[in-house]
Amino acid sequence: MRRITTFIIALCAAVAALAQTPMEIVSRMEEEMKKHGDEGEALVIDAKVPIMGTMTSKTYTRGDKMRVEMELMGVAMVTWTDTKTQWTYNSKTDEVEIKPFSLESDSGSEGDISMFEGITDGYEVIIKEETADAWYLVCRKLKSNTDKDAPKTMDLVVSKAYHPVSLTAKVSGVTVTLRDLTYGVPESLVTFNPADYPTAKIIDKRK
């Protein structure tokens, strides 16, 4: 009986040693994401807006360049940005508007991949559920977190391969979910090419 008890105690100790803390899980996830940093990323963003419902967009990023595709009331919109310029195509008017752009003044960054970075800063992270395939984590804002724009809570799902599955947070009254993250975005996809829109009227507002 003593041998069985000793074996069970040793087994429990071994299992406990293998268990990971929420911080370790998130840290491993961030390490895996950094391995693909130069490849560019694509993800789907669901924005649940009061009264209007849920709007879905697809975002592609590579370096300082970004492309966002979305549809509003049957109108397809495509926006490209780099560090200085923004191009916006409207399928209804068949126009491309070009205007100055600044990363510092960009207020639409709530839905980009940077939300996955440094996610534990100013948050307590707990494991809500664990399955054979993923960890379901809850990030709760600490009192010491003085960022008034930081969400009070965030729901993060991380696969057992340390790949981010989804991140959901409420930002400025809008519930934003980032999902379906993939890697490998060519430069051509995030660069506006007027040849791709030969019939579009170009409206340049940079002057």
Side-chain angles (χ1 to χ4, degrees), residues 3-202:
R3 291 179 62 188
I4 295 176
T5 303
T6 302
F7 174 75
I8 292 174
I9 292 174
L11 183 60
C12 289
V15 171
L18 291 173
Q20 297 181 81
T21 67
M23 293 297 193
E24 289 172 338
I25 294 169
V26 174
S27 179
R28 285 285 301 275
M29 178 196 77
E30 292 176 338
E31 288 176 7
E32 289 299 315
M33 292 179 66
K34 288 178 181 178
K35 293 179 181 179
H36 304 278
D38 297 331
E39 302 173 16
E41 307 94 2
L43 54 82
V44 175
I45 302 169
D46 296 321
K48 188 176 181 180
V49 184
I51 302 177
M52 295 183 64
T54 301
M55 295 183 290
T56 299
S57 61
K58 186 72 176 286
T59 299
Y60 305 86
T61 58
R62 186 180 180 92
D64 291 326
K65 293 185 176 182
M66 177 181 289
R67 173 191 178 119
V68 179
E69 301 173 353
M70 65 187 307
E71 187 172 308
L72 294 172
M73 301 179 68
V75 179
M77 306 284 289
V78 185
T79 300
W80 300 259
T81 57
D82 58 20
T83 58
K84 297 181 179 179
T85 309
Q86 174 178 293
W87 299 259
T88 301
Y89 172 72
N90 184 315
S91 67
K92 183 177 182 179
T93 61
D94 195 25
E95 295 176 343
V96 176
E97 181 183 275
I98 309 174
K99 63 182 183 180
F101 176 80
S102 170
L103 289 174
E104 289 74 17
S105 63
D106 179 23
S107 60
S109 61
E110 293 91 347
D112 64 30
I113 195 171
S114 64
M115 284 185 68
F116 285 110
E117 300 171 358
I119 196 170
T120 57
D121 296 343
Y123 286 87
E124 173 193 18
V125 185
I126 63 172
I127 298 176
K128 181 173 66 175
E129 181 184 353
E130 180 178 353
T131 67
D133 301 315
W135 291 281
Y136 293 77
L137 309 172
V138 177
C139 308
R140 294 175 178 166
K141 186 178 179 180
L142 296 171
K143 291 183 178 179
S144 58
N145 187 343
T146 58
D147 184 355
K148 60 182 179 62
D149 296 322
K152 291 183 178 179
T153 62
M154 295 184 289
D155 295 310
L156 173 66
V157 182
V158 182
S159 76
K160 289 298 178 71
Y162 300 99
H163 179 79
V165 176
S166 67
L167 174 65
T168 301
K170 195 169 186 178
V171 182
S172 302
V174 178
T175 301
V176 178
T177 298
L178 281 63
R179 59 180 174 87
D180 300 340
L181 173 65
T182 57
Y183 301 105
V185 174
E187 185 80 14
S188 58
L189 191 59
V190 292
T191 303
F192 173 68
N193 182 1
D196 294 334
Y197 301 87
T199 64
K201 179 182 178 181
I202 305 297

